[in-house]
Amino acid sequence: MHRNSAIGVLLLATFLLASAPKSEACQVCVPFPGESLADRILAAEHLVLARENPDQPFTLQAIRTIRQGDPVPPPLELFLDSSTRRQLSLDEDLSILCEWSPGTGKWRRLALNSRSLAPVVEAILQNREAWEVDPAARVDYFAGYLAHEASVLSDLARIEVYRAPYDQLIRYADRIPREVLLERLANPRLMEWHGLDILFLARTGIPEDQELIREKVENDARWPVASQRTAWAIALIEIDGMAGIERISQLYLNGPDRSPEDIAAIREAFRIHAEHGRPELRDPIANAIRPLEVGMR
Amino acid sequence: MNKSLLFLASLPMLVLPAAAQDIAVTKEDINIGKKEYSPYLHQSYPNQVFWGDTHLHTSYSTDAGMVGNTLGPDEALRFARGETVISSTGVPARMIRPLDFLVVADHAETLGLAPMIEESNPELLKDPTGKRWHDMVKAGNGWEAYQEWKKAGSVGKNPMPNEGLQRTAWERIIDAVDQHDTPGVFTAFHGFEWTSTPDLRNMHRNVIFRDDAEKARSVLPFTMFDSVDPEDLWDYMEAYEEKTGGRALAIPHGGNLSQGLMFAVETFSGKPIDKAYAERRMKWEPLYEVTQIKGDGEAHPSLSPNDEFADYYQWDRGDFGLNAKEPEMLPHEYARSALKIGLEQEAKLGANPFKFGMIGASDSHTSLASTREENYFGKFAGAEPGTEHRFDDLVSQDLREDGDGSLNVYHWESLASGLAGVWARENTREALWDAMERKEVYATTGTRMLVRVFAGWDFESDEVHRPDFAVQGYQRGVPMGGDLTAASEGQAPKFMIRALRDADGANLDRVQVIKGWLDENGEAQERVYDVAVSDGRQIGPDGRCREPVGSTVDVMDASFTNTIGDAVLAAYWEDPDFDLEQRAFYYIRVLEIPTPSWVAYDCKKFMVEPPEGAVLVQQERAYTSPIWYTP
């Protein structure tokens, strides 16, 4: 996904989430966060690793400071739930990564810091400046963790890669095995996370996967609450090219009245292909999207 | 009467031989049909424990039916009665022994949606929202339909206000329940769950009617869309009783997910509670469901640091995914601390708002009230035995935009719990409901150990061994759920306690008295006393047995033996620290010896590795309703 477009979508999503009551989020899905763990680590003024305070059970205390900023934060005081407490008691090397920022004035947990996460946290902090200059290098670094067995790392990688420009993103399509893509797509709880899986599925070249994408686009067009409408439309254009553009136009632009949200989702798909897809599709996309732009005026 | 006379008296035609004439038999001795013989003619005290689940969901609950549960109330009741039922995922299921009673407690909100979609109910199809969801499900987009329903509900908006459909679903449940209610054999209660969840904080209550179908039909279930304030639920129940002459009670549960709301000392609208509130709450909510699949709520180890058994399946991460737990919430979430707060409030208000008895229930959404570790069918149909996400299905998820996933709770963290043991004389709606109202009930975490306790002022130490100890207990004391008053100077309450293991379960480790009291500064205190321990272990002068019972569990084999522990434990206990000026409560906790958890059984059955951090060995337990002392 194009960075600017992605940021636009991100801002829109952030706005929608901020303006809606918190509990109006999907109640049955694992939410797809606007910020990645790397964002939070890089934004933190103070970072510590914490374990249970032996003098005050069920609370955390800092055992190592990773980043010390300014001003000096108050002592770490966070409740330690029973389940995490049990995990910590079983593994001496395990800790909890916590951050404090003057903006919130509160400590918060960022992640369970395991052996596999620790070097990544280090790399994130070390590469701060380099990644500001070369964002593609940041994506490339995290793409290496797309199939990592630790979900904290594979989830982090998914968020980072999904923000990348579409033409960079699809270069990593073979990093996640097809069976994993299908398994994840079959899990409705991961609905908000399916975007990357859909885009990668469109790159497998397997006819069954392409048929699944076509069916999904047809099916989603029938319902107002379909999720990942943008990703499925991008995927259809990826596999069917001109025919895909025409079909999406029929379903959304030339058919019955569509909600502004549906139209925005389709426009976003077109825009991504227009800016980062195959050159031969750019004119047809511009033609398809023109009525919308006229309508906008 | 001696044995000779007994023999003679048993002869209907008495002819005395000459050699026996020195035996003095009077006319009064020949009394068949004339005088009372049976000692039980006038006994009326509860003498049986009936086992049941007061919190069982079927496909008529939208959060069950829309996510794979295809079994309705009829199947749920058949399973509870001991029949083999095929689960929603196609697995044959049967209980070790039938239950004695069941409350089909389906969520009142959008009751019956899934079955009506399945059957393409014509009334549902007339409702625009109902039709949309119907069409979505039929087109394979059921999850999206469910998501839409859930979103609307989470902000308190009724997505499909349709009394006709609610009536249809309610009537069907009533019909199924009535069909299975067989006085003396099996009791099926009319009831429902009121699912108040303000900002995803759990305030749920199950409403149980004492009455027949006619009375139950006269109302519709009260929903969270009607109100999320418990006082409005009490208004509903009061109106029901006035209208029908029937009776209803509500059982709160899930305080651990309430973020301190469940036992708050403010009303839901934010005012300090007062005497009227306290009296009203205890009239309508005499019981608390202390243990169930979504966590055990007896005590929290951070509140009871001297209780090494308090750390048992806590779900203390937060609410249903929006807010993390903060330590100050905990006292208002767990039963023991709530009972203590109740004493403080009683001293302040003149009435105790948290003077509740305790039961366990399953809260299963599979229609299967299976609470034994080796026979656990899970929380949802999607986590039934053998399903792909049996362990890692999310029961509650971190919904925070900036969440780190630490509010996620996975199915492997659920516990196969619990059951309600009800002391009553007969298995009827009236007898069981009345026992619930007077709190002569107790909770177990899923097994069926028998527990009995009496408190009084003049019990002798050897009376607990008398075969008729219950007669003495009722005549000169009070049972669980009762009240002691009027202590005299120098007196202390004495307790007779008996516990018998589940006939098909594990031996017992120990019997404990949990005491809470209000000290001279008006602050609530608590203490745990071991009063009977197995295997000849000793109880020290501090009232505790520090020697663990040991363990016979073979985790890999998911097995244990009853070569440790005792099948029966009995205790006579006199409170050594009693102060007649101090309010107090006492409840009994009975612990079984360690046994494998359901995760351990599953790992063996399906040859899989356990999730990291999963409980593999645990100790089932029982919690009785307290006995209160009021100066």
Side-chain angles (χ1 to χ4, degrees):
Chain A
M1 190 176 287
H2 187 273
R3 188 163 193 82
N4 291 337
S5 304
I7 291 169
V9 171
L10 180 64
L11 289 174
L12 176 65
T14 307
F15 169 76
L16 290 173
L17 284 165
S19 59
K22 278 198 294 184
S23 55
E24 205 172 348
C26 174
Q27 304 291 303
V28 289
C29 319
V30 179
F32 188 79
E35 290 181 325
S36 72
L37 177 59
D39 294 334
R40 292 171 190 160
I41 289 171
L42 291 170
E45 279 294 319
H46 303 272
L47 281 171
V48 299
L49 297 179
R51 282 182 60 89
E52 182 171 26
N53 182 349
D55 299 327
Q56 204 175 337
F58 291 91
T59 60
L60 290 170
Q61 72 170 12
I63 55 166
R64 186 183 146 207
T65 300
I66 293 180
R67 179 178 160 78
Q68 176 74 59
D70 188 51
V72 176
L76 173 64
E77 281 184 4
L78 280 174
F79 177 67
L80 175 61
D81 64 275
S82 299
S83 185
T84 312
R85 185 176 184 242
R86 193 176 308 118
Q87 281 181 283
L88 292 176
S89 72
L90 293 171
D91 185 347
E92 282 185 359
D93 292 334
L94 207 57
S95 59
I96 299 174
L97 180 65
C98 301
E99 69 101 11
W100 186 86
S101 294
T104 61
K106 288 182 177 175
W107 284 98
R108 69 169 171 166
R109 288 169 58 156
L110 290 185
L112 207 56
N113 191 52
S114 59
R115 281 185 204 87
S116 51
L117 179 63
V120 176
V121 173
E122 213 164 290
I124 290 169
L125 292 169
Q126 279 175 357
N127 285 294
R128 176 191 299 268
E129 284 80 22
W131 288 348
E132 278 174 9
V133 178
D134 183 6
R138 172 171 168 168
V139 177
D140 204 52
Y141 171 80
F142 287 110
Y145 291 95
L146 277 170
H148 200 279
E149 60 180 12
S151 61
V152 66
L153 287 174
S154 58
D155 287 353
L156 165 60
R158 282 170 174 278
I159 298 166
E160 292 284 336
V161 170
Y162 194 48
R163 294 169 176 175
Y166 182 68
D167 45 2
Q168 182 185 3
L169 173 157
I170 55 177
R171 293 207 303 265
Y172 309 118
D174 61 354
R175 298 282 178 93
I176 302 178
R178 176 176 175 259
E179 57 270 24
V180 174
L181 297 177
L182 293 172
E183 186 186 320
R184 289 176 59 89
L185 286 169
N187 185 350
R189 284 196 187 277
L190 297 176
M191 189 182 282
E192 292 188 6
W193 288 75
H194 283 166
L196 193 68
D197 301 303
I198 295 164
L199 300 188
F200 282 7
L201 193 72
R203 302 282 297 182
T204 63
I206 294 173
E208 289 87 346
D209 298 343
Q210 296 175 347
E211 198 49 43
L212 176 70
I213 291 166
R214 292 183 193 106
E215 283 173 12
K216 192 67 186 164
V217 170
E218 295 291 329
N219 190 44
D220 278 3
R222 299 173 59 196
W223 310 112
V225 293
S227 62
Q228 303 294 355
R229 207 182 295 274
T230 299
W232 287 114
I234 294 170
L236 187 70
I237 297 170
E238 179 68 37
I239 61 169
D240 285 350
M242 192 60 216
I245 295 168
E246 286 171 2
R247 185 59 190 148
I248 291 168
S249 298
Q250 282 172 357
L251 290 169
Y252 286 94
L253 308 182
N254 304 327
D257 283 347
R258 292 289 180 174
S259 70
E261 291 80 15
D262 287 3
I263 298 295
I266 296 304
R267 183 191 286 125
E268 185 59 21
F270 281 167
R271 183 169 290 147
I272 285 164
H273 269 292
E275 293 179 3
H276 296 278
R278 282 175 273 165
E280 70 270 21
L281 296 180
R282 291 178 185 168
D283 283 345
I285 287 173
N287 289 335
I289 212 169
R290 189 165 297 122
L292 293 177
E293 304 300 337
V294 170
M296 290 279 287
R297 284 197 294 270
Chain B
M1 190 182 287
N2 64 36
K3 284 185 180 175
S4 302
L5 288 176
L6 188 67
F7 170 70
L8 293 173
S10 69
L11 297 175
M13 298 295 288
L14 187 64
V15 179
L16 293 175
Q21 284 184 358
D22 59 334
I23 298 174
V25 177
T26 67
K27 281 184 180 178
E28 284 70 33
D29 289 319
I30 307 169
N31 57 14
I32 303 300
K34 294 178 182 172
K35 288 176 73 174
E36 291 182 354
Y37 174 77
S38 169
Y40 311 117
L41 290 175
H42 303 292
Q43 275 190 4
S44 58
Y45 62 79
N47 58 358
Q48 295 187 72
V49 175
F50 296 99
W51 292 102
D53 185 354
T54 56
H55 190 173
L56 193 271
H57 293 273
T58 76
S59 61
Y60 277 64
S61 289
T62 297
D63 67 348
M66 292 292 279
V67 291
N69 183 351
T70 58
L71 307 183
D74 180 62
E75 289 93 339
L77 286 151
R78 289 183 188 285
F79 180 77
R81 298 186 71 170
E83 289 187 28
T84 299
V85 167
I86 305 301
S87 81
S88 298
T89 56
V91 182
R94 191 181 177 195
M95 306 188 87
I96 189 167
R97 278 169 278 147
L99 291 178
D100 300 305
F101 68 91
L102 184 72
V103 184
V104 171
D106 280 315
H107 292 294
E109 296 73 21
T110 327
L111 192 64
L113 175 64
M116 290 191 199
I117 287 175
E118 175 60 25
E119 72 197 33
S120 297
N121 183 286
E123 292 304 311
L124 179 79
L125 297 178
K126 286 180 193 167
D127 186 291
T129 305
K131 181 168 188 329
R132 186 170 71 252
W133 289 340
H134 168 271
D135 293 350
M136 288 167 77
V137 170
K138 296 293 182 185
N141 293 63
W143 190 263
E144 283 83 353
Y146 177 54
Q147 182 185 342
E148 193 177 297
W149 172 81
K150 193 108 177 172
K151 264 188 183 180
S154 69
V155 291
K157 180 183 163 194
N158 189 347
M160 194 178 74
N162 190 320
E163 268 196 18
L165 291 171
Q166 193 189 16
R167 165 66 58 194
T168 300
W170 179 231
E171 298 264 351
R172 286 185 190 176
I173 295 170
I174 287 173
D175 288 344
V177 165
D178 244 32
Q179 185 189 336
H180 285 280
D181 184 55
T182 312
V185 178
F186 181 85
T187 293
F189 284 102
H190 300 297
F192 64 88
E193 178 167 1
W194 173 68
T195 322
S196 169
T197 319
D199 294 327
L200 298 192
R201 295 169 296 175
N202 187 83
M203 292 281 279
H204 300 182
R205 267 85 168 158
N206 289 332
V207 175
I208 304 175
F209 297 108
R210 185 179 188 265
D211 312 306
D212 60 17
E214 188 185 341
K215 288 189 172 73
R217 276 185 225 282
S218 71
V219 291
L220 285 172
F222 193 67
T223 74
M224 65 175 279
F225 306 127
D226 297 314
S227 171
V228 291
D229 186 338
E231 291 187 76
D232 292 331
L233 175 69
W234 305 340
D235 287 344
Y236 162 89
M237 294 161 71
E238 191 167 1
Y240 165 80
E241 291 197 352
E242 282 174 10
K243 179 179 179 180
T244 65
R247 302 295 310 278
L249 60 79
I251 304 178
H253 50 270
N256 55 336
L257 297 166
S258 76
Q259 299 298 82
L261 279 186
M262 184 57 75
F263 301 111
V265 292
E266 295 85 32
T267 66
F268 185 72
S269 53
K271 297 173 188 161
I273 61 173
D274 57 18
K275 186 179 181 188
Y277 174 95
E279 289 173 342
R280 217 160 165 244
R281 178 162 178 150
M282 283 304 95
K283 171 176 168 55
W284 298 112
E285 301 183 353
L287 302 179
Y288 179 62
E289 182 188 298
V290 69
T291 184
Q292 60 133 288
I293 285 174
K294 290 203 299 284
D296 191 86
E298 185 233 348
H300 191 280
S302 73
L303 302 173
S304 304
N306 298 321
D307 180 357
E308 69 272 32
F309 296 105
D311 191 1
Y312 186 72
Y313 287 102
Q314 263 74 40
W315 280 30
D316 55 6
R317 290 174 169 146
D319 53 16
F320 283 119
L322 274 189
N323 297 289
K325 193 71 68 197
E326 293 173 18
E328 59 271 21
M329 297 169 178
L330 296 172
H332 303 282
E333 299 192 337
Y334 288 82
R336 190 186 301 174
S337 50
L339 290 165
K340 288 162 63 182
I341 293 169
L343 296 181
E344 292 171 345
Q345 291 295 310
E346 185 179 37
K348 184 176 161 189
L349 306 174
N352 184 341
F354 308 131
K355 196 176 177 180
F356 51 80
M358 294 194 273
I359 55 131
S362 75
D363 194 14
S364 163
H365 283 55
T366 62
S367 303
L368 307 172
S370 61
T371 60
R372 289 177 67 95
E373 304 294 325
E374 76 283 7
N375 194 33
Y376 177 55
F377 272 73
K379 168 73 177 171
F380 293 109
E384 286 184 358
T387 52
E388 188 181 354
H389 297 293
R390 170 78 159 161
F391 286 162
D392 68 359
D393 192 24
L394 278 167
V395 180
S396 182
Q397 60 232 45
D398 194 333
L399 297 169
R400 298 170 299 176
E401 171 61 15
D402 63 349
D404 62 339
S406 60
L407 300 191
N408 285 337
V409 187
Y410 296 92
H411 192 252
W412 60 262
E413 298 175 76
S414 66
L415 64 157
S417 178
L419 285 177
V422 175
W423 278 103
R425 203 160 175 88
E426 58 182 22
N427 188 358
T428 62
R429 281 178 184 153
E430 295 78 10
L432 300 185
W433 193 96
D434 291 349
M436 292 184 202
E437 188 192 35
R438 68 174 183 269
K439 306 166 194 166
E440 201 167 350
V441 296
Y442 63 103
T444 77
T445 52
T447 58
R448 304 191 198 183
M449 61 188 104
L450 299 185
V451 187
R452 205 166 210 180
V453 56
F454 296 99
W457 300 111
D458 63 353
F459 296 145
E460 300 293 333
S461 61
D462 58 350
E463 284 189 291
V464 70
H465 303 297
R466 286 175 61 151
D468 67 341
F469 101 119
V471 176
Q472 303 307 318
Y474 281 107
Q475 283 180 354
R476 293 153 47 214
V478 297
M480 60 182 75
D483 284 282
L484 283 178
T485 54
S488 303
E489 195 62 49
Q491 276 189 320
K494 300 169 177 64
F495 293 78
M496 297 192 294
I497 309 157
R498 276 193 194 168
L500 173 65
R501 76 162 220 216
D502 184 330
D504 298 299
N507 272 348
L508 306 177
D509 167 3
R510 65 186 70 201
V511 175
Q512 301 177 306
V513 173
I514 315 290
K515 179 186 177 185
W517 74 97
L518 215 51
D519 68 14
E520 59 275 16
N521 300 317
E523 290 175 10
Q525 308 293 341
E526 67 176 67
R527 185 162 174 184
V528 178
Y529 299 88
D530 290 314
V531 297
V533 293
S534 68
D535 303 295
R537 287 173 293 158
Q538 297 299 308
I539 297 170
D542 63 345
R544 296 305 314 276
C545 172
R546 304 291 173 186
E547 184 185 349
V549 70
S551 177
T552 64
V553 175
D554 179 338
V555 173
M556 295 297 286
D557 191 48
S559 63
F560 71 98
T561 64
N562 278 323
T563 49
I564 59 171
D566 285 349
V568 182
L569 289 174
Y572 165 84
W573 182 75
E574 179 176 343
D575 183 356
D577 306 307
F578 182 70
D579 182 333
L580 61 80
E581 298 298 328
Q582 296 175 342
R583 296 167 201 278
F585 65 80
Y586 305 83
Y587 67 87
I588 308 305
R589 182 169 68 183
V590 183
L591 291 155
E592 290 184 359
I593 62 171
T595 51
S597 70
W598 72 266
V599 172
Y601 281 107
D602 264 39
C603 286
K604 186 194 175 195
K605 287 177 185 174
F606 299 110
M607 292 185 287
V608 293
E609 289 294 315
E612 201 173 330
V615 173
L616 300 174
V617 179
Q618 51 97 47
Q619 287 184 266
E620 304 277 1
R621 53 200 64 200
Y623 314 118
T624 70
S625 292
I627 293 170
W628 288 266
Y629 166 71
T630 308

